[in-house]
Amino acid sequence: MSHFGRSGPPDISDTYSLLVLNITFRTTADDLFPLFDKYGKVVDIFIPKDRRTGESRGFAFVRYKYADEAQKAVERLDGRMVDGREITVQFAKYGPNAERIHKGRIIESMPRTRHRSRSRSPRRRYRDDYRDRDYRRRSRSRSYDRYERDRYRGRDRDYRRRSRSRSASPDYKSRGRGRYDDDDDRRSRSRSRSVDSRSPAHSPSPRRSPSPRRSMSPERSASPRSPRGESPDNRSRDGRSPSPRSVSPRGRPDASRSPSPRNSNGDE
DNA sequence: GTTGAGCGTT
């Protein structure tokens, strides 16, 4: 009956957290509980898990009720073989709130009524922290890094090939935006800065020239000529940008609708 | 089925 990790921290008023490292990714709190409970009263055991895969990260936090017991467990369980791996037990240096703790004991007990003018973004830090850890981990595992890179490259190639026959604009944009899922950051920036100034020092958009063509030939605008008249205009403005609609060299939008000419029964 | 420096959650 050890539902450790199921609910939030039960009580961390006078508890000492121990950090257990080098444990197997399959080791669970239930496996560590009997080991640590033998040396003292274990209040709670928490094993951080990856949110993406849900697997253990390889370390656990054991909370003791008394410091002496925690110290004993550190000295006794440090270097113990668990699940075929030597675990490392030591006092936690940081608390659940990333606060500095002394000998596993949290120095600051929930600074809730403290001046929060420090303006610390918990959400932003969360993501950053996760990314940092992930990056470090990937960097360490060379095989994993290569594997991922190869996979990414393969996907990129396939993706590029597809883009040749189809439009890759929406896909690319979606991917780029998918990376940024921080609405908080966006809101904060939009609040402080103009929405227009997305990149103040990167993309100044020097193309400020209005429409000299329109001004010179307002007749075109007034007279609704055939849709083809707009084609040259667009091309002229972009310089060398074919119509995204007409994928076929023939310039026939209708052809794009039927990618498989095999289906043509004779009519098309 | 997977890796191995390090510090945490309904």
Side-chain angles (χ1 to χ4, degrees):
Chain A
M1 279 132 173
S2 34
H3 287 71
F4 297 122
R6 292 283 163 162
S7 22
D11 50 341
I12 48 172
S13 13
D14 281 328
T15 55
Y16 299 83
S17 296
L18 292 186
L19 174 67
V20 187
L21 302 173
N22 214 20
I23 64 169
T24 57
F25 301 117
R26 297 175 285 198
T27 304
T28 60
D30 299 290
D31 299 331
L32 299 175
F33 177 67
L35 274 166
F36 284 83
D37 192 55
K38 277 195 302 186
Y39 296 96
K41 178 79 169 109
V42 176
V43 184
D44 177 48
I45 297 181
F46 172 63
I47 299 184
K49 295 182 243 174
D50 199 317
R51 286 202 173 176
R52 300 165 302 179
T53 62
E55 291 277 321
S56 328
R57 254 182 253 169
F59 62 94
F61 289 98
V62 181
R63 223 175 262 144
Y64 273 94
K65 187 71 175 90
Y66 302 103
D68 57 313
E69 292 181 346
Q71 178 72 29
K72 194 165 66 177
V74 171
E75 288 182 41
R76 300 291 279 172
L77 292 176
D78 184 35
R80 188 59 66 94
M81 202 77 106
V82 175
D83 204 27
R85 212 118 179 140
E86 196 175 89
I87 63 169
T88 304
V89 183
Q90 56 189 238
F91 279 97
K93 298 190 293 193
Y94 304 95
N97 294 80
E99 301 283 345
R100 284 298 256 289
I101 57 183
H102 180 63
K103 288 282 183 201
R105 183 174 67 177
I106 303 171
I107 294 172
E108 297 191 39
S109 45
M110 281 280 177
R112 220 171 248 236
T113 60
R114 267 236 165 160
H115 294 279
R116 43 183 163 174
S117 36
R118 297 249 166 175
S119 104
R120 55 166 162 186
S121 352
R123 271 191 83 187
R124 177 94 170 267
R125 232 182 75 208
Y126 244 71
R127 190 163 70 74
D128 200 16
D129 213 12
Y130 252 90
R131 219 188 67 173
D132 189 23
R133 197 152 54 251
D134 198 83
Y135 184 77
R136 169 166 60 53
R137 246 173 86 187
R138 263 198 297 192
S139 199
R140 275 278 161 214
S141 47
R142 302 184 280 262
S143 48
Y144 203 80
D145 185 3
R146 225 172 1 188
Y147 176 71
E148 253 213 352
R149 212 174 62 183
D150 200 19
R151 219 170 97 188
Y152 183 78
R153 267 186 68 167
R155 220 173 106 192
D156 192 303
R157 227 169 72 181
D158 194 348
Y159 159 79
R160 223 174 79 186
R161 230 169 72 183
R162 253 194 310 190
S163 78
R164 268 258 168 170
S165 68
R166 279 243 187 243
S167 56
S169 269
D171 208 280
Y172 190 79
K173 218 156 111 183
S174 184
R175 246 170 61 138
R177 265 181 82 196
R179 265 203 218 161
Y180 298 93
D181 53 349
D182 245 353
D183 43 0
D184 229 15
D185 192 347
R186 214 171 60 186
R187 233 168 33 188
S188 185
R189 196 174 296 181
S190 85
R191 218 166 158 152
S192 213
R193 270 193 200 229
S194 257
V195 184
D196 202 331
S197 66
R198 229 167 261 179
S199 357
H202 207 22
S203 231
S205 253
R207 275 210 196 155
R208 206 67 162 92
S209 50
S211 324
R213 199 163 291 277
R214 202 152 64 182
S215 192
M216 263 228 269
S217 53
E219 205 182 353
R220 200 171 60 60
S221 193
S223 78
R225 276 214 183 191
S226 58
R228 268 166 85 177
E230 250 172 76
S231 225
D233 184 19
N234 230 344
R235 215 162 25 177
S236 177
R237 228 172 63 166
D238 263 26
R240 59 253 181 248
S241 219
S243 289
R245 274 198 325 220
S246 59
V247 183
S248 244
R250 271 188 204 177
R252 262 184 99 147
D254 264 24
S256 85
R257 244 182 82 177
S258 59
S260 5
R262 230 183 276 170
N263 204 4
S264 63
N265 228 350
D267 199 23
E268 271 198 85

